[in-house]
Amino acid sequence: MYNYVKYITIILALTAPTVVLAEQSATPSTNDPMVMKIYPDGTKVVVRWSEIGKAVDNGEKHGGSPRIIAYDPGKEGIVPIGQPAAKVSTPSSTPTPMPPSTSVVTPESSKTLNSNPSPMSDTDDYGPMEGFVLRSAVGVSYQQPLSGRSGDGQTYNKFVFQPGIRFDLEPGYNVTDWFRVGLESSFIYNQVHSLNFNNAALYNGSSNLGNGGFYQVPVIANVTFTYPTEGPLRGYLGGGIGGAWDILQASVNPLEAYTSYQWNFVWEVTAGFSYNVMPGLDLDFAYKLLSTPNPNFQGGGHYQASFNHTAEIGLAYRF
């Protein structure tokens, strides 16, 4: 029995240093700690710190060079040394890289959108600026005196008129936002105020001149040029040529009445401005000068050029 105890004691004495050396080799050295390499695709590899500088690791298989952190088995889990771990998503704490400057989109505040009105066009709040338009207007008409000699060339006549009225109706087409073509038809009436006839002055309502009037119905092809602006107020200029059906009436005395029906050539110029009151509807203010260069009347004779001035207000409907 003594011999068995002796043999066991000798064996333990011989194996004890080997166990101590094995324990020391299993204990990690504090001078060569474990570190973890984390690649862009999420792959993790645990290596010794001393192995980091032995070779350049560009991470071609894992999307780029790795970042190196201290290895903590309690937080990261057990990862075999030198072997890649399962791919994991990038931690939420990792800042997201900003896109290149060429692809950065700066958000725009909704308060700054449409803060300034755009030029008048087919899509703005002023309505369509190209297409059909219908203009109607009414105004005060001032007819200058009509003077000349009758058919025999011996009798001098001068008609003086009272302020009258004018109505306009003009369908047209806006070719662009600054150019329009149209066909204008009007009705103009001025009552005769007085008549100088054979050196005698006859006044409306008297026994010698009961009544009289001058009717003009011009039909004119017009063009209009508008100055385009960014606001609702727009100025314009226009003009046209055409013909007018003129009717001149005068009752010299109860037994003698004069009436003339005649077509005459006319031209017209217009200046004004419009103000947009709602999409597609403009309030229009205009001055018009209508001229008959060579007025002819029944009975012959030669009369000086006739001029009619009108200040009017109207509406223009754009479709």
Side-chain angles (χ1 to χ4, degrees), residues 34 105 107 125 130 146 202 231 244 252 265 270 304 308-309 319:
M34 298 290 185
V105 178
D125 294 334
E130 297 179 3
L146 183 63
L202 309 179
V252 179
F265 171 78
T270 304
Q304 297 178 0
N308 183 276
H309 308 268
F319 303 97

Side-chain angles (χ1 to χ4, degrees), residues 45-245:
V45 177
V46 176
V47 297
R48 291 286 184 183
W49 176 254
S50 60
E51 298 180 7
I52 296 299
K54 292 181 179 181
V56 178
D57 187 3
N58 293 324
E60 291 85 353
K61 297 181 180 180
H62 304 292
S65 301
R67 60 188 182 93
I68 300 172
I69 63 173
Y71 173 57
D72 185 358
K75 181 185 295 185
E76 303 292 341
I78 303 300
V79 179
I81 298 176
Q83 300 295 325
K87 295 182 181 179
V88 297
S89 59
T90 305
S92 59
S93 60
T94 303
T96 303
M98 289 293 292
S101 59
T102 57
S103 63
V104 175
V105 178
T106 304
E108 198 170 356
S109 174
S110 59
K111 295 182 179 180
T112 61
L113 297 178
N114 299 326
S115 58
N116 295 323
S118 59
M120 300 179 76
S121 64
D122 291 345
T123 58
D124 59 25
D125 294 334
Y126 301 110
M129 296 309 298
E130 297 179 3
F132 290 99
V133 60
L134 178 63
R135 180 183 179 276
S136 60
V138 61
V140 177
S141 169
Y142 175 72
Q143 176 66 42
Q144 287 187 281
L146 183 63
S147 60
R149 294 189 179 276
S150 60
D152 57 9
Q154 302 297 321
T155 304
Y156 176 80
N157 300 323
K158 181 178 180 180
F159 292 88
V160 180
F161 303 96
Q162 295 180 359
I165 192 169
R166 172 171 175 164
F167 297 97
D168 286 348
L169 184 64
E170 180 186 2
Y173 188 84
N174 286 319
V175 181
T176 67
D177 62 345
W178 58 268
F179 178 67
R180 183 178 76 222
V181 294
L183 183 64
E184 178 186 75
S185 178
S186 306
F187 173 80
I188 307 172
Y189 172 73
N190 293 92
Q191 188 176 28
V192 175
H193 173 265
S194 63
L195 169 61
N196 290 331
F197 179 73
N198 288 332
N199 296 322
L202 309 179
Y203 293 94
N204 184 43
S206 65
S207 58
N208 294 327
L209 180 62
N211 56 59
F214 187 28
Y215 302 85
Q216 301 178 78
V217 184
V219 179
I220 303 172
N222 282 330
V223 294
T224 304
F225 300 90
T226 302
Y227 181 75
T229 64
E230 296 183 354
L233 188 64
R234 311 180 76 202
Y236 64 87
L237 293 172
I241 59 174
W245 180 247

Side-chain angles (χ1 to χ4, degrees), residues 242 264-267 290-296 302-307:
N264 286 297
F265 171 78
V266 295
W267 58 264
L290 177 70
S291 173
T292 307
N294 186 24
N296 295 312
H302 177 74
Y303 288 84
Q304 297 178 0
S306 169
F307 295 95

Side-chain angles (χ1 to χ4, degrees), residues 258-279:
Y258 174 79
T259 303
S260 172
Y261 303 90
Q262 188 72 36
W263 276 101
N264 286 297
F265 171 78
V266 295
W267 58 264
E268 182 178 75
V269 294
T270 304
F273 63 91
S274 63
Y275 185 85
N276 182 257
V277 294
M278 61 182 297

Side-chain angles (χ1 to χ4, degrees), residues 242-253:
W245 180 247
D246 295 335
I247 304 174
L248 179 61
Q249 293 180 330
S251 297
V252 179
N253 57 60

